[in-house]
């Protein structure tokens, strides 16, 4: 059981470096690449469906473009072009897989809001008061302050968020260069708000 002081402190994981993102994308394409960070019940509540679809669409378009361009390139350039195009296609597919596999989840007594490639926020589950729909736009990606609301933090892979987690009392979140926020509301994205709410507000909490 957490003490009152611990219950008021959250953990912010900053976005990884570019090489860190590359490693996440590569791991997400491997069998079992979603095991790291999973909750006990599986991969968690998924998010960023629109961004995942866009990335897969770009990967598909790149495949078509690669074949068309390869047909007009001199044979000496085709191998290098194929390697480059393969890396681009795998990059798009890996980013989509990383988003799909990094779902929000509850781990023990912590609620973890994940973004796949842009960092995450973890708060004590006991600090959560309610969960509801709240459609709005918050510039940026990953853990970040909410303009015009000094007591709110957003954590999403897209600018659009659709779920709000209201806290029973403020939770301290250190956002690095953006400063420290005593958060009373957390905004995130979820493919299914009811599924997210059910996971967070499960009976027996």
């Amino acid at each position: 059981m957490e003490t009152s002081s611990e219950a008021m402190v959250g953990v912010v994981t900053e976005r990884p470096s570019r090489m860190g993102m590359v490693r996440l994308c590569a791991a997400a394409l491997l069998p079992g690449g979603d095991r790291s960070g999973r909750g006990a019940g599986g991969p968690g509540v998924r998010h960023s469906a629109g961004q995942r679809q866009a990335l897969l669409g770009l990967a598909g378009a790149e495949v078509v473009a690669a074949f068309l361009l390869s047909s007009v390139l001199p044979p000496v350039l085709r191998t290098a072009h194929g390697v480059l195009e393969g890396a681009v296609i795998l990059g798009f597919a890996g980013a989509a897989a990383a988003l799909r596999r990094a779902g929000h989840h509850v781990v023990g007594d912590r609620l973890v809001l994940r973004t796949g490639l842009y960092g995450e926020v973890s708060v004590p589950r006991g600090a959560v008061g309610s969960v509801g729909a709240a459609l709005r736009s918050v510039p940026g990606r990953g853990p970040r302050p909410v303009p015009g609301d000094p007591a709110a933090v957003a954590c999403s892979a897209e600018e659009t968020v659709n779920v709000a987690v209201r806290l029973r009392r403020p939770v301290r979140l250190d956002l690095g260069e953006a400063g420290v926020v005593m958060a009373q509301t957390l905004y995130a994205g979820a493919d299914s708000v009811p599924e997210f709410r059910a996971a967070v507000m499960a009976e027996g909490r």
Side-chain angles (χ1 to χ4, degrees), residues 93-168:
L99 289 172
R100 183 177 185 274
R101 293 183 166 187
H104 309 306
H105 56 70
V106 175
V107 182
D109 56 2
R110 309 290 295 187
L111 165 63
V112 185
L113 303 177
R114 306 172 74 199
T115 67
L117 298 174
Y118 308 107
E120 61 187 49
V121 168
S122 168
V123 299
R125 193 181 181 197
V128 176
S130 65
V131 176
L135 185 63
R136 64 180 298 174
S137 179
V138 182
R141 291 182 174 83
R144 58 200 186 277
V146 178
D149 191 345
V153 168
C155 185
S156 62
E158 299 177 299
E159 291 196 353
T160 299
V161 295
N162 63 345
V163 62
V165 179
R166 310 291 180 184
L167 304 175
R168 299 179 187 276

Side-chain angles (χ1 to χ4, degrees), residues 36-108:
S36 177
R38 269 192 178 197
V45 180
R46 289 178 179 145
H47 55 81
S48 310
Q51 189 172 353
R52 297 198 314 266
Q53 292 172 0
L55 287 166
L56 291 176
L58 287 171
E62 197 67 32
V63 170
V64 175
F67 277 108
L68 292 176
L69 185 55
S70 179
S71 66
V72 299
L73 285 175
V76 68
L77 296 179
R78 288 177 184 171
T79 298
H81 172 256
V83 171
L84 177 61
E85 289 288 2
V88 172
I89 292 166
L90 287 176
F92 286 138
L99 289 172
R100 183 177 185 274
R101 293 183 166 187
H104 309 306
H105 56 70
V106 175
V107 182

